Amino acid sequence: MSTTVPPTEAVILEEEGPESSPRGGSGWGYLGSKLGGAAISLVMVILLGFFAFKILPGDPVARIARERQMSAEQIAQLREQLGLDKPLLQQFWDYLGNVFTLNFGESYVYKTSVSSLIGQYFWNTILLTGTSAVIAIALGLWLGQRAGWRHGSMFDRVTSGISLVLWSVPTFWLALLLLMVFGGTLHWFPTGGMTSPDPPGGFADVLDVLSHMVLPVLTMVAVVYAQYVMVMRASVIEEMNADYITTARAKGLRDDLVRTRHVVPNALLPAVTLVFMHIGGLIAGAVTVEAVFSWPGLGKLTFEAISGPDLPLLQGTFVVFSAIIIVMNLLADLVYRQLDPRVRRS
Amino acid sequence: MSIRNRVGVRRALTLAVAAALVALPVGAAHAQSPAGLSVAADATPAPDTSASATTLRIATSGHVDSFNPFTSIYLLPTNLIRYMYENLVQNDQQDGSPTKGLADSWTTDDGGQKWTYTLQDGLTWSDGEPITSADVVYTYEQMLTVPALAVANGNLVSNFASVDAPDDKTVVITLKAPQAPNPGSEIPIVPKHVWEKIADRSTYANDSNVVGSGSFLIDSYSANQSITLKANPTFWRGAPKIDRLQYIYYTNSDAQVQALRAGEVDFVGSLTPTQFDALKGAPGITTHSGEGRRYASYSFNAGMKTRDGQSFGTGNPALADVKVRQAIRQGIDTKALLKNVLQDQGVPGTSFIPASFAKWTLPADDSVVKSYDPDAAKALLEADGWVAGADGIRVKDGNRLSLRLLVDASDVTEQSTAEYFVPWMKAIGIDIQVESTDDDTISTRSVKGDYDIYFTGWSVNPDPDYQLGINTCANLPTDVDGSGGTTQDGYCNPEFDKLYAQQRSELDEGKRQSIVHDMLAMNYEDAAQVVLWYANGLEAYRSDRFTNFSLQPEKDGIIANQAGYWGFLTVEPASGGDAGGGVNVGLIVVGVIVALAVILAIVIAVIRRRRAGDRE
């Protein structure tokens, strides 16, 4: 069986090493080190979140003042209101003090607290990206194991070909194309937003949201499912050369059963890690899709905050997006350990 | 073989069951929303259903800080506040001159230091309360006494000494110094009986159930989704002919165009020339190109100075030479630019007051205005001692005539303008180094004086006073980092300042016009900037649903983004127009259900097959 250990696991085994084995042996030690790593990443993100956007060119006040005929006194008043007249270090301390209480200050544009804005828009993003992730993962893994099982076949070539082409397509371009064809020309689906401005009420509200979801979900699925296809396909191909497959076949098991019972469960292992790692990226990748389809989510909030520049909001969404990715990576580590007894044993 | 057959039969059965299952909701959905019904027309049995025909839906991407008339700064809420609250004095439709607002008439005393307004008879707020001079005094006093309430319009009351109400219908504004611009303009008057009950007026969002005096009032607001305004039947000019205005959010301007084509919105503004051309001739859509109120220019760094004369910035000293700036202007073919870059959707520019303000603009046929003449430009530089070097670029006193031009990399107009500008300058012996960067960098560098030339522009209000004011020495920065001022081009000419003071207190409009003209001519000859064009506002609307939009200026003007509230005031449903063209709910439902059915069928098939395997 040892020959079936995929290379990724071998790397993990080596990382743990003989020295760390007393600690690595205990589940708590493993959990602790992973949690510690995640916490350090999060602190770095928070620090970066302040300085990265502070060194961006552009003066938010000058930007706001361009919208209107203002006097120097009004601009000074505005600067004071936004707290931009304080020294940078003072602003940093204020930011730090606030951030650990999950308070990112008040948005320059929306004039409400960033935390409440993020709270409002967070679930819209989760709805969109969650749906896309589920569909993309299901579709990708399913197509991937099929393609891998019959690699080289027409099905494999068509599946891999289409998914790779879609993967290479710029999200923005595909989104606009779908919008133009199915929204502007065919009028099948709405061209933007999450609900109609006057929601129909009742059960029709659900359909209303669903119909608004179709194009953005389609776009997101189309551009990401290829990576699941590829991972699953590669993983299945690798498993197929293993000795236990020959054994299974020798037992007289039907081809489909060999695939579903023996190959797929083993092949799923490396895929799961990847799935979790990509979910984080998928949520962060909502920026483009939300911007094109005017979906009122965190991505759109970020997009607009950049053009502000609405620094507190930008810092808030940056920290949230980063935190999601860190948490997902952490989960990937933990779930992987849970799924594969060999990692635990080490 | 037999096993395979069994599986096949099962799969077919499963699919049939799945299809039957999903057919149920399809039927239900059809019962709820008859096919062909548009989303906008919605399926609620509420009496509002018929309103869809008279809801004008406008696509927007505008920022909203609040709808508070004291603090809101962004363009979109500013426009909506124009609809919600009448000013004492309004900008008229024809050319933006002061006209009746809440005030029926006004007189001036003490050479323009004291303004007395008489309110119209029988004015009421939308809640039925009478509008009196107390409301006007209350509004102005809030701005004068609470700094946080002066953020939006503080500059308009900075010359106010006091505001009094001798009786219910009279308002007297006493100024610190006489002024010609009507002090009752541009300031929305709020109802005292509503606002005095608000505890924190500076943070009040004012985004629902607004009590106002204008044509449309905000009914509801959902950030980044929509803003709904209801017509005010008590508006003194008469109730609008439609029931509602609805602003719908589209982040992307191409998505706005598609929404118009799909009939999800009825009006789209701020189109690019390409989008505008693409919409021409589209069924049910009418495009409109109107004279805008924004100028676009190349601004020169002629040597930035603070108010007390300290130089700062990195400008090439060559531009301090007025002859060089004049030569650059003569080397630019603005007509060709307009044709090639803006597809002729605009008017060639002279100075910084757009041609749509016919009273104040510097006429194109004015004697100071120079036309494109590269030979004259070369001669001008030659006579000034700029001699062409071996590479054709001119040199004087060891200074090579090489200038940096800042261009916004994301702006197609700026990019293509530069493509024409560079060879034109080369032809007269000036080297242009294009620095393509982002908007924020340009904004920061222009304040610090870290540029030679950059592309810029302003939207101008009907009264030219503010725009002239930011060209006076008094608006230069106070600090060498460029802060503390709002100068347009860093321009400072004491003669210009003298004329500025004169026009500001000249109550005779004819005389004031002539002073303003002299100022613009002076600024033109000083060549502080080259105004390239006044771009047209490009708009498009569903003419199959709505008609009778109003323009400002009345002739050749724009519909949205006016300095007034005329655009949607007269709009009425087109005859025979209906909510058609909306999104077909039936189709959507079918599309979604079919997608779900496929997924469901696959899942069931997989499960069934696995179970079938168990049994073997």
Side-chain angles (χ1 to χ4, degrees):
Chain A
M1 283 295 274
S2 63
T3 52
T4 66
V5 177
T8 43
E9 289 167 38
V11 172
I12 291 170
L13 288 175
E14 272 169 28
E15 269 177 0
E16 293 291 316
E19 286 165 349
S20 64
S21 57
R23 208 160 47 84
S26 91
W28 293 112
Y30 179 80
L31 185 69
S33 74
K34 290 292 170 194
L35 277 178
I40 290 171
S41 307
L42 201 58
V43 168
M44 293 308 289
V45 160
I46 286 171
L47 297 183
L48 200 70
F50 181 81
F51 289 105
F53 297 119
K54 277 290 170 196
I55 58 167
L56 274 183
D59 174 2
V61 176
R63 185 77 176 228
I64 296 167
R66 262 202 323 212
E67 300 260 339
R68 193 172 194 90
Q69 306 193 334
M70 293 175 98
S71 63
E73 293 76 37
Q74 280 167 284
I75 291 172
Q77 168 79 22
L78 200 61
R79 199 176 291 279
E80 191 192 315
Q81 271 185 14
L82 300 183
L84 284 169
D85 54 341
K86 292 182 193 165
L88 189 67
L89 209 62
Q90 176 68 41
Q91 290 182 39
F92 179 60
W93 283 121
D94 290 349
Y95 167 80
L96 271 192
N98 285 336
V99 103
F100 287 105
T101 52
L102 285 181
N103 173 0
F104 295 96
E106 187 177 85
S107 154
Y108 294 165
V109 174
Y110 293 89
K111 301 280 175 199
T112 47
S113 95
V114 169
S115 326
S116 77
L117 271 174
I118 290 177
Q120 279 169 35
Y121 288 76
F122 181 74
W123 295 110
N124 296 348
T125 293
I126 293 296
L127 175 66
L128 180 67
T129 52
T131 313
S132 311
V134 168
I135 297 178
I137 291 167
L139 183 73
L141 294 186
W142 188 77
L143 287 176
Q145 51 104 356
R146 282 283 173 155
W149 188 245
R150 302 236 177 279
H151 65 276
S153 70
M154 184 59 98
F155 177 82
D156 177 30
R157 271 179 290 162
V158 170
T159 308
S160 311
I162 292 178
S163 65
L164 282 178
V165 165
L166 285 173
W167 197 32
S168 332
V169 163
T171 314
F172 193 77
W173 181 83
L174 180 68
L176 269 179
L177 200 73
L178 289 176
L179 181 69
M180 210 175 87
V181 174
F182 294 104
T185 308
L186 294 173
H187 307 182
W188 285 7
F189 301 106
T191 47
M194 189 173 84
T195 56
S196 303
D198 299 311
F203 176 66
D205 269 359
V206 178
L207 292 179
D208 186 38
V209 174
L210 277 182
S211 70
H212 281 83
M213 275 174 71
V214 173
L215 292 182
V217 166
L218 196 60
T219 310
M220 288 191 92
V221 169
V223 294
V224 301
Y225 85 95
Q227 49 196 359
Y228 303 116
V229 173
M230 288 301 119
V231 170
M232 195 60 193
R233 181 178 175 275
S235 193
V236 164
I237 292 175
E238 201 169 329
E239 291 298 317
M240 276 169 65
N241 299 325
D243 291 342
Y244 71 91
I245 301 299
T246 319
T247 317
R249 285 220 168 93
K251 283 196 294 187
L253 282 187
R254 206 156 44 78
D255 219 28
D256 271 359
L257 278 178
V258 175
R259 179 169 58 88
T260 54
R261 286 295 169 73
H262 296 274
V263 177
V264 170
N266 282 300
L268 264 178
L269 279 177
V272 165
T273 322
L274 220 107
V275 163
F276 272 97
M277 284 168 73
H278 284 165
I279 287 178
L282 192 67
I283 292 172
V287 176
T288 315
V289 173
E290 286 186 4
V292 174
F293 291 103
S294 317
W295 186 269
L298 288 185
K300 187 182 161 181
L301 220 48
T302 311
F303 180 82
E304 307 225 309
I306 291 170
S307 69
D310 192 340
L311 296 180
L313 186 54
L314 210 49
Q315 286 161 351
T317 53
F318 175 73
V319 170
V320 169
F321 276 134
S322 310
I324 290 174
I325 293 178
I326 291 170
V327 168
M328 283 299 162
N329 284 358
L330 179 68
L331 277 181
D333 283 340
L334 299 182
V335 169
Y336 191 83
R337 188 181 157 87
Q338 208 54 44
L339 283 183
D340 190 344
R342 286 165 303 189
V343 181
R344 246 176 306 171
R345 269 205 305 278
S346 71
Chain B
M1 277 304 269
S2 65
I3 294 170
R4 291 225 162 233
N5 274 344
R6 240 173 62 207
V7 173
V9 170
R10 274 212 193 99
R11 193 183 295 177
L13 263 174
T14 326
L15 279 172
V17 171
L21 268 172
V22 296
L24 235 115
V26 172
H30 272 282
Q32 283 228 348
S33 51
L37 193 73
S38 87
V39 165
D42 70 44
T44 34
D48 241 355
T49 310
S50 63
S52 68
T54 56
T55 296
L56 180 76
R57 296 159 304 169
I58 301 154
T60 187
S61 60
H63 285 312
V64 173
D65 40 6
S66 76
F67 300 99
N68 184 326
F70 294 110
T71 58
S72 170
I73 286 165
Y74 289 99
L75 181 66
L76 173 66
T78 301
N79 281 340
L80 301 198
I81 288 166
R82 283 183 193 278
Y83 303 150
M84 298 201 287
Y85 301 102
E86 179 63 280
N87 306 335
L88 207 47
V89 173
Q90 190 51 248
N91 304 318
D92 85 350
Q93 188 187 346
Q94 199 190 340
D95 63 357
S97 309
T99 188
K100 259 191 202 186
L102 295 180
D104 190 44
S105 61
W106 53 90
T107 57
T108 51
D109 298 297
D110 300 343
Q113 195 158 357
K114 194 168 145 194
W115 291 66
T116 307
Y117 297 85
T118 309
L119 301 191
Q120 296 192 52
D121 289 321
L123 290 173
T124 59
W125 295 106
S126 55
D127 63 356
E129 293 287 316
I131 299 176
T132 70
S133 52
D135 294 308
V136 182
V137 172
Y138 173 80
T139 304
Y140 290 156
E141 278 185 345
Q142 291 301 308
M143 298 168 65
L144 290 168
T145 55
V146 188
L149 296 181
V151 170
N153 292 314
N155 62 319
L156 297 173
V157 294
S158 58
N159 191 28
F160 281 37
S162 68
V163 185
D164 304 290
D167 62 58
D168 266 5
K169 289 191 56 189
T170 310
V171 176
V172 180
I173 300 175
T174 311
L175 301 171
K176 292 174 189 160
Q179 76 172 51
N182 196 313
S185 295
E186 297 291 338
I187 301 173
I189 304 297
V190 303
K192 182 184 177 195
H193 67 281
V194 174
W195 282 76
E196 65 186 358
K197 288 183 199 131
I198 298 166
D200 191 353
R201 289 182 280 278
S202 64
T203 58
Y204 184 61
N206 198 32
D207 57 5
S208 64
N209 302 315
V210 169
V211 174
S213 54
S215 51
F216 292 94
L217 307 170
I218 288 192
D219 186 46
S220 65
Y221 167 58
S222 172
N224 277 321
Q225 299 195 57
S226 62
I227 311 165
T228 306
L229 294 95
K230 273 196 172 148
N232 176 14
T234 67
F235 182 46
W236 72 270
R237 286 183 193 274
K241 296 188 181 71
I242 52 173
D243 299 330
R244 303 196 306 171
L245 281 186
Q246 195 164 49
Y247 286 79
I248 304 177
Y249 270 85
Y250 289 91
T251 316
N252 181 285
S253 75
D254 289 317
Q256 296 188 358
V257 171
Q258 296 306 325
L260 183 75
R261 287 180 61 215
E264 287 176 50
V265 296
D266 305 307
F267 185 94
V268 177
S270 310
L271 296 167
T272 65
T274 316
Q275 291 169 335
F276 185 79
D277 285 342
L279 281 173
K280 265 186 197 161
I285 292 172
T286 297
T287 51
H288 172 73
S289 172
E291 282 184 15
R293 55 188 184 101
R294 186 177 179 83
Y295 76 84
S297 73
Y298 272 151
S299 181
F300 295 130
N301 185 348
M304 292 295 274
K305 284 196 173 67
T306 63
R307 231 169 275 180
D308 47 19
Q310 277 179 284
S311 290
F312 66 95
T314 63
N316 188 325
L319 279 175
D321 181 346
V322 66
K323 294 281 177 9
V324 172
R325 305 196 300 267
Q326 287 172 341
I328 293 176
R329 169 182 279 143
Q330 281 209 285
I332 301 177
D333 187 351
T334 43
K335 290 210 173 90
L337 273 185
L338 197 60
K339 183 165 181 290
N340 296 316
V341 177
L342 279 199
Q343 274 100 59
D344 265 335
Q345 299 292 355
V347 180
T350 53
S351 190
F352 53 80
I353 303 294
S356 57
F357 301 119
K359 263 185 206 168
W360 309 108
T361 189
L362 184 65
D365 57 3
D366 195 90
S367 61
V368 296
V369 174
K370 299 274 199 305
S371 55
Y372 171 59
D373 189 346
D375 290 332
K378 277 189 238 173
L380 197 60
L381 289 170
E382 207 75 46
D384 194 36
W386 291 95
V387 186
D391 56 355
I393 305 305
R394 293 174 191 273
V395 183
K396 181 183 178 182
D397 305 332
N399 185 9
R400 194 164 170 272
L401 205 37
S402 174
L403 307 170
R404 297 161 296 165
L405 169 69
L406 303 189
V407 172
D408 180 356
S410 64
D411 190 314
V412 182
T413 306
E414 290 189 29
Q415 293 266 334
S416 24
T417 304
E419 276 166 32
Y420 290 92
F421 181 62
V422 173
W424 285 339
M425 289 302 106
K426 188 140 202 263
I428 61 169
I430 300 175
D431 175 49
I432 299 292
Q433 296 293 324
V434 177
E435 293 185 17
S436 220
T437 176
D438 65 290
D439 191 30
D440 287 320
T441 305
I442 294 176
S443 157
T444 308
R445 287 180 61 179
S446 64
V447 169
K448 289 184 180 151
D450 183 16
Y451 67 98
D452 293 321
I453 308 173
Y454 78 109
F455 188 102
T456 182
W458 284 75
S459 285
V460 179
N461 273 352
D463 193 287
D465 184 71
Y466 176 86
Q467 207 64 34
L468 294 169
I470 60 171
N471 278 287
T472 60
C473 307
N475 268 306
L476 288 178
T478 51
D479 198 280
V480 286
D481 65 2
S483 66
T486 51
T487 180
Q488 179 187 298
D489 302 301
Y491 180 68
C492 175
N493 180 341
E495 290 300 314
F496 184 91
D497 288 9
K498 267 187 212 157
L499 291 177
Y500 174 74
Q502 272 181 37
Q503 68 80 31
R504 189 163 162 82
S505 56
E506 181 53 71
L507 290 171
D508 182 310
E509 194 174 73
K511 285 185 189 156
R512 186 171 172 224
Q513 270 180 42
S514 131
I515 301 170
V516 169
H517 168 265
D518 291 348
M519 293 172 77
L520 294 180
M522 184 184 288
N523 182 272
Y524 185 94
E525 289 193 306
D526 287 338
Q529 84 299 107
V530 182
V531 172
L532 303 170
W533 60 66
Y534 314 120
N536 280 5
L538 303 180
E539 309 171 316
Y541 56 90
R542 296 295 309 197
S543 44
D544 54 350
R545 295 190 76 231
F546 292 100
T547 174
N548 206 15
F549 292 84
S550 291
L551 308 180
Q552 186 198 39
E554 203 163 8
K555 187 177 168 291
D556 303 328
I558 44 177
I559 299 170
N561 293 333
Q562 296 178 348
Y565 47 48
W566 313 96
F568 304 124
L569 187 59
T570 52
V571 167
E572 49 193 321
S575 55
D578 62 356
V583 179
N584 189 320
V585 172
L587 269 177
I588 292 164
V589 170
V590 171
V592 171
I593 299 293
V594 166
L596 286 177
V598 170
I599 294 166
L600 195 65
I602 291 170
V603 170
I604 292 178
V606 168
I607 294 170
R608 298 286 297 191
R609 286 192 60 185
R610 192 169 283 174
R611 291 216 179 116
D614 282 342
R615 272 174 234 136
E616 278 147 29

